Amino acid sequence: MPRSIFLPLLRELSSAYQAFEVYSSAHVRSLSLTPAQFDIVATLGNTPGMSPKELGEKTLITKGTLTGVIDRLAAKKIVRRVASPDDGRCQIIRLTSQGEKLFARIFPLHVAHMERVFAGFSPGDLEGITASLRLLRTAFVAAHVSTKP
Amino acid sequence: MPRSIFLPLLRELSSAYQAFEVYSSAHVRSLSLTPAQFDIVATLGNTPGMSPKELGEKTLITKGTLTGVIDRLAAKKIVRRVASPDDGRCQIIRLTSQGEKLFARIFPLHVAHMERVFAGFSPGDLEGITASLRLLRTAFVAAHVSTKP
DNA sequence: TTACTATAGTTCTAGTTAGAACTAAATTGC
DNA sequence: GCAATTTAGTTCTAACTAGAACTATAGTAA
């Protein structure tokens, strides 16, 4: 078992994610949103809205955190909460018209900002890296599940 | 420019990191440390100590955050602050003897816990994934630097 | 030397984070 | 149709997070 070889992998995973965060969040902050707020706006854009549960699954924000993030976006009039007609426990979070305008303005800017990172990569590179990441995620999820039951 | 292809990569990067965090931090918390505290203890183990600046560079924790993390570890008598003899601005953070015992006990446990994730991976797999991550990090850092000056 | 500049850490603020306890509404089982 | 369980969201707590402003010390340059 070459134990020495997976510790550098974990360090690189943390470093790569950290570098992504630094690069991405500096831009998002320059647009007057926090990274979590941007994720919510980006996820709600071009949709009829969705429940906090679904939003949390897509953005990987846990429900306790999500309440606060939505509170702050609602205070800025970027989203609003609508009661679900079907289920009294559910809400639907929607962009307001102001939120839609914000999304239309900043989402393309941020995509362009991120695209610059990959200027030197071929499609094959990108697919290879994506496959590596998928493999990693799958391994962590499988390992986590196997500790639970 | 196939713009569609790097967005899935970014999603996979976030998901993979998130899956790592969930798996790793559940274990760390069961050892009565937070992930940030564990990183500090793991970094200080088997060293004569180091300055907060160096600790922050190794653990990717920014200096403002680090003050609080070290405060809490010091309150638990796991580390202590020693004034640097050379530089009046510097400190040296060291594990206490209690901290060294803690490190000796939990670090191997955590390494073993993480090793399980990679049971199904060949050394070649691990090296390939590590290389992908290194490529990613480099690209983000380069892009970030090019926005600064 | 004396002013200027850079560096190390702390403090402060606003926000995110996870996890656990809680409330209310729905679903299931009997 | 009622009790037991599950699910959706909120609230609470402790901690982390980045970034900016601040203090103190060190290095540099005239």
mmCIF file of all heavy atoms in Angstrom, chain A residues 87-91, chain C residues 24-27, chain D residues 6-9:
data_model
loop_
_atom_site.group_PDB
_atom_site.id
_atom_site.type_symbol
_atom_site.label_atom_id
_atom_site.label_comp_id
_atom_site.label_asym_id
_atom_site.label_seq_id
_atom_site.Cartn_x
_atom_site.Cartn_y
_atom_site.Cartn_z
ATOM 1 N N ASP A 87 -48.185 22.261 -0.957
ATOM 2 C CA ASP A 87 -47.642 21.692 0.271
ATOM 3 C C ASP A 87 -47.387 22.824 1.261
ATOM 4 O O ASP A 87 -46.566 23.703 1.020
ATOM 5 C CB ASP A 87 -46.333 20.949 -0.070
ATOM 6 C CG ASP A 87 -45.816 20.153 1.119
ATOM 7 O OD1 ASP A 87 -46.045 20.579 2.277
ATOM 8 O OD2 ASP A 87 -45.179 19.109 0.904
ATOM 9 N N GLY A 88 -48.093 22.779 2.341
ATOM 10 C CA GLY A 88 -48.019 23.850 3.333
ATOM 11 C C GLY A 88 -46.669 24.007 3.992
ATOM 12 O O GLY A 88 -46.391 25.009 4.625
ATOM 13 N N ARG A 89 -45.797 22.970 3.848
ATOM 14 C CA ARG A 89 -44.464 23.084 4.452
ATOM 15 C C ARG A 89 -43.473 23.750 3.505
ATOM 16 O O ARG A 89 -42.411 24.181 3.921
ATOM 17 C CB ARG A 89 -43.925 21.683 4.770
ATOM 18 C CG ARG A 89 -44.728 20.907 5.757
ATOM 19 C CD ARG A 89 -44.304 19.457 5.734
ATOM 20 N NE ARG A 89 -44.460 18.873 4.406
ATOM 21 C CZ ARG A 89 -44.171 17.616 4.101
ATOM 22 N NH1 ARG A 89 -43.692 16.811 5.021
ATOM 23 N NH2 ARG A 89 -44.344 17.161 2.888
ATOM 24 N N CYS A 90 -43.855 23.788 2.214
ATOM 25 C CA CYS A 90 -42.898 24.206 1.184
ATOM 26 C C CYS A 90 -43.043 25.676 0.813
ATOM 27 O O CYS A 90 -44.114 26.258 0.909
ATOM 28 C CB CYS A 90 -43.112 23.400 -0.086
ATOM 29 S SG CYS A 90 -42.376 21.792 -0.013
ATOM 30 N N GLN A 91 -41.940 26.213 0.358
ATOM 31 C CA GLN A 91 -41.939 27.541 -0.225
ATOM 32 C C GLN A 91 -41.399 27.414 -1.638
ATOM 33 O O GLN A 91 -40.760 26.436 -1.986
ATOM 34 C CB GLN A 91 -40.995 28.464 0.526
ATOM 35 C CG GLN A 91 -41.292 28.606 1.970
ATOM 36 C CD GLN A 91 -40.176 29.341 2.676
ATOM 37 O OE1 GLN A 91 -39.122 29.576 2.085
ATOM 38 N NE2 GLN A 91 -40.417 29.685 3.915
ATOM 39 P P DA C 24 -45.957 25.691 15.817
ATOM 40 O OP1 DA C 24 -46.545 27.036 15.920
ATOM 41 O OP2 DA C 24 -46.339 24.592 16.735
ATOM 42 O "O5'" DA C 24 -46.192 25.165 14.331
ATOM 43 C "C5'" DA C 24 -45.685 25.928 13.255
ATOM 44 C "C4'" DA C 24 -45.854 25.138 11.979
ATOM 45 O "O4'" DA C 24 -44.911 24.038 11.974
ATOM 46 C "C3'" DA C 24 -47.249 24.504 11.820
ATOM 47 O "O3'" DA C 24 -47.677 24.733 10.497
ATOM 48 C "C2'" DA C 24 -47.013 23.031 12.094
ATOM 49 C "C1'" DA C 24 -45.588 22.859 11.571
ATOM 50 N N9 DA C 24 -44.849 21.741 12.124
ATOM 51 C C8 DA C 24 -44.760 21.350 13.438
ATOM 52 N N7 DA C 24 -44.011 20.293 13.625
ATOM 53 C C5 DA C 24 -43.565 19.969 12.349
ATOM 54 C C6 DA C 24 -42.729 18.953 11.865
ATOM 55 N N6 DA C 24 -42.173 18.029 12.644
ATOM 56 N N1 DA C 24 -42.490 18.917 10.541
ATOM 57 C C2 DA C 24 -43.045 19.852 9.757
ATOM 58 N N3 DA C 24 -43.846 20.855 10.088
ATOM 59 C C4 DA C 24 -44.069 20.863 11.418
ATOM 60 P P DA C 25 -49.211 24.488 10.074
ATOM 61 O OP1 DA C 25 -49.688 25.756 9.486
ATOM 62 O OP2 DA C 25 -49.932 23.815 11.186
ATOM 63 O "O5'" DA C 25 -49.045 23.439 8.894
ATOM 64 C "C5'" DA C 25 -48.123 23.727 7.848
ATOM 65 C "C4'" DA C 25 -47.762 22.447 7.185
ATOM 66 O "O4'" DA C 25 -47.028 21.620 8.126
ATOM 67 C "C3'" DA C 25 -48.964 21.618 6.735
ATOM 68 O "O3'" DA C 25 -48.792 21.332 5.368
ATOM 69 C "C2'" DA C 25 -48.913 20.365 7.599
ATOM 70 C "C1'" DA C 25 -47.440 20.287 7.965
ATOM 71 N N9 DA C 25 -47.131 19.597 9.210
ATOM 72 C C8 DA C 25 -47.579 19.895 10.467
ATOM 73 N N7 DA C 25 -47.108 19.102 11.397
ATOM 74 C C5 DA C 25 -46.292 18.227 10.705
ATOM 75 C C6 DA C 25 -45.495 17.141 11.115
ATOM 76 N N6 DA C 25 -45.407 16.739 12.379
ATOM 77 N N1 DA C 25 -44.807 16.476 10.162
ATOM 78 C C2 DA C 25 -44.905 16.874 8.900
ATOM 79 N N3 DA C 25 -45.618 17.882 8.388
ATOM 80 C C4 DA C 25 -46.292 18.520 9.356
ATOM 81 P P DA C 26 -49.998 20.641 4.547
ATOM 82 O OP1 DA C 26 -49.957 21.232 3.194
ATOM 83 O OP2 DA C 26 -51.228 20.643 5.340
ATOM 84 O "O5'" DA C 26 -49.461 19.154 4.424
ATOM 85 C "C5'" DA C 26 -48.367 18.924 3.539
ATOM 86 C "C4'" DA C 26 -47.806 17.554 3.764
ATOM 87 O "O4'" DA C 26 -47.595 17.326 5.166
ATOM 88 C "C3'" DA C 26 -48.702 16.414 3.284
ATOM 89 O "O3'" DA C 26 -47.981 15.716 2.298
ATOM 90 C "C2'" DA C 26 -48.959 15.579 4.534
ATOM 91 C "C1'" DA C 26 -47.817 15.967 5.436
ATOM 92 N N9 DA C 26 -48.064 15.882 6.863
ATOM 93 C C8 DA C 26 -48.891 16.675 7.606
ATOM 94 N N7 DA C 26 -48.894 16.384 8.897
ATOM 95 C C5 DA C 26 -48.000 15.330 9.000
ATOM 96 C C6 DA C 26 -47.551 14.572 10.093
ATOM 97 N N6 DA C 26 -47.971 14.771 11.353
ATOM 98 N N1 DA C 26 -46.651 13.594 9.845
ATOM 99 C C2 DA C 26 -46.235 13.404 8.589
ATOM 100 N N3 DA C 26 -46.585 14.054 7.478
ATOM 101 C C4 DA C 26 -47.471 15.018 7.755
ATOM 102 P P DT C 27 -48.690 14.660 1.343
ATOM 103 O OP1 DT C 27 -48.070 14.771 0.016
ATOM 104 O OP2 DT C 27 -50.153 14.783 1.516
ATOM 105 O "O5'" DT C 27 -48.224 13.278 1.992
ATOM 106 C "C5'" DT C 27 -46.853 13.106 2.314
ATOM 107 C "C4'" DT C 27 -46.676 11.850 3.139
ATOM 108 O "O4'" DT C 27 -47.063 12.092 4.508
ATOM 109 C "C3'" DT C 27 -47.498 10.655 2.667
ATOM 110 O "O3'" DT C 27 -46.594 9.596 2.426
ATOM 111 C "C2'" DT C 27 -48.460 10.373 3.827
ATOM 112 C "C1'" DT C 27 -47.695 10.943 5.012
ATOM 113 N N1 DT C 27 -48.490 11.413 6.187
ATOM 114 C C2 DT C 27 -48.178 10.918 7.438
ATOM 115 O O2 DT C 27 -47.313 10.091 7.623
ATOM 116 N N3 DT C 27 -48.935 11.438 8.460
ATOM 117 C C4 DT C 27 -49.942 12.386 8.360
ATOM 118 O O4 DT C 27 -50.545 12.772 9.353
ATOM 119 C C5 DT C 27 -50.215 12.852 7.022
ATOM 120 C C7 DT C 27 -51.287 13.871 6.808
ATOM 121 C C6 DT C 27 -49.485 12.349 6.002
ATOM 122 P P DT D 6 -39.421 7.465 10.472
ATOM 123 O OP1 DT D 6 -38.778 6.313 9.813
ATOM 124 O OP2 DT D 6 -38.795 8.092 11.654
ATOM 125 O "O5'" DT D 6 -39.666 8.576 9.368
ATOM 126 C "C5'" DT D 6 -40.551 8.287 8.282
ATOM 127 C "C4'" DT D 6 -40.855 9.571 7.534
ATOM 128 O "O4'" DT D 6 -41.669 10.445 8.350
ATOM 129 C "C3'" DT D 6 -39.606 10.372 7.150
ATOM 130 O "O3'" DT D 6 -39.641 10.535 5.747
ATOM 131 C "C2'" DT D 6 -39.763 11.685 7.921
ATOM 132 C "C1'" DT D 6 -41.273 11.773 8.103
ATOM 133 N N1 DT D 6 -41.790 12.587 9.252
ATOM 134 C C2 DT D 6 -42.685 13.609 8.988
ATOM 135 O O2 DT D 6 -43.061 13.907 7.870
ATOM 136 N N3 DT D 6 -43.132 14.277 10.104
ATOM 137 C C4 DT D 6 -42.784 14.024 11.417
ATOM 138 O O4 DT D 6 -43.261 14.692 12.326
ATOM 139 C C5 DT D 6 -41.846 12.947 11.611
ATOM 140 C C7 DT D 6 -41.390 12.602 13.000
ATOM 141 C C6 DT D 6 -41.392 12.273 10.525
ATOM 142 P P DT D 7 -38.445 11.183 4.939
ATOM 143 O OP1 DT D 7 -38.417 10.592 3.594
ATOM 144 O OP2 DT D 7 -37.263 11.171 5.812
ATOM 145 O "O5'" DT D 7 -38.937 12.687 4.794
ATOM 146 C "C5'" DT D 7 -40.159 12.956 4.139
ATOM 147 C "C4'" DT D 7 -40.432 14.444 4.200
ATOM 148 O "O4'" DT D 7 -40.852 14.816 5.527
ATOM 149 C "C3'" DT D 7 -39.205 15.303 3.888
ATOM 150 O "O3'" DT D 7 -39.560 16.208 2.849
ATOM 151 C "C2'" DT D 7 -38.898 16.009 5.203
ATOM 152 C "C1'" DT D 7 -40.273 16.045 5.854
ATOM 153 N N1 DT D 7 -40.294 16.134 7.345
ATOM 154 C C2 DT D 7 -41.168 17.018 7.937
ATOM 155 O O2 DT D 7 -41.912 17.740 7.307
ATOM 156 N N3 DT D 7 -41.146 17.022 9.306
ATOM 157 C C4 DT D 7 -40.338 16.242 10.124
ATOM 158 O O4 DT D 7 -40.408 16.339 11.339
ATOM 159 C C5 DT D 7 -39.449 15.341 9.432
ATOM 160 C C7 DT D 7 -38.528 14.457 10.226
ATOM 161 C C6 DT D 7 -39.468 15.323 8.090
ATOM 162 P P DA D 8 -38.563 17.292 2.297
ATOM 163 O OP1 DA D 8 -38.791 17.430 0.853
ATOM 164 O OP2 DA D 8 -37.212 17.016 2.832
ATOM 165 O "O5'" DA D 8 -39.128 18.587 3.029
ATOM 166 C "C5'" DA D 8 -40.355 19.156 2.604
ATOM 167 C "C4'" DA D 8 -40.458 20.584 3.128
ATOM 168 O "O4'" DA D 8 -40.589 20.533 4.552
ATOM 169 C "C3'" DA D 8 -39.230 21.442 2.833
ATOM 170 O "O3'" DA D 8 -39.680 22.727 2.406
ATOM 171 C "C2'" DA D 8 -38.482 21.506 4.160
ATOM 172 C "C1'" DA D 8 -39.592 21.311 5.183
ATOM 173 N N9 DA D 8 -39.184 20.560 6.375
ATOM 174 C C8 DA D 8 -38.407 19.432 6.413
ATOM 175 N N7 DA D 8 -38.220 18.961 7.617
ATOM 176 C C5 DA D 8 -38.918 19.835 8.435
ATOM 177 C C6 DA D 8 -39.111 19.889 9.829
ATOM 178 N N6 DA D 8 -38.596 18.994 10.680
ATOM 179 N N1 DA D 8 -39.872 20.899 10.322
ATOM 180 C C2 DA D 8 -40.391 21.789 9.462
ATOM 181 N N3 DA D 8 -40.274 21.840 8.128
ATOM 182 C C4 DA D 8 -39.518 20.825 7.682
ATOM 183 P P DG D 9 -38.652 23.798 1.792
ATOM 184 O OP1 DG D 9 -39.296 24.445 0.667
ATOM 185 O OP2 DG D 9 -37.340 23.143 1.666
ATOM 186 O "O5'" DG D 9 -38.506 24.905 2.937
ATOM 187 C "C5'" DG D 9 -39.157 24.751 4.060
ATOM 188 C "C4'" DG D 9 -39.066 25.739 5.178
ATOM 189 O "O4'" DG D 9 -39.030 24.871 6.335
ATOM 190 C "C3'" DG D 9 -37.875 26.684 5.292
ATOM 191 O "O3'" DG D 9 -38.353 27.963 5.724
ATOM 192 C "C2'" DG D 9 -36.990 26.029 6.335
ATOM 193 C "C1'" DG D 9 -37.973 25.224 7.176
ATOM 194 N N9 DG D 9 -37.382 24.007 7.697
ATOM 195 C C8 DG D 9 -36.700 23.035 7.001
ATOM 196 N N7 DG D 9 -36.255 22.068 7.760
ATOM 197 C C5 DG D 9 -36.673 22.428 9.041
ATOM 198 C C6 DG D 9 -36.491 21.768 10.279
ATOM 199 O O6 DG D 9 -35.888 20.710 10.498
ATOM 200 N N1 DG D 9 -37.073 22.472 11.328
ATOM 201 C C2 DG D 9 -37.754 23.647 11.197
ATOM 202 N N2 DG D 9 -38.246 24.182 12.306
ATOM 203 N N3 DG D 9 -37.946 24.280 10.047
ATOM 204 C C4 DG D 9 -37.367 23.615 9.008
#
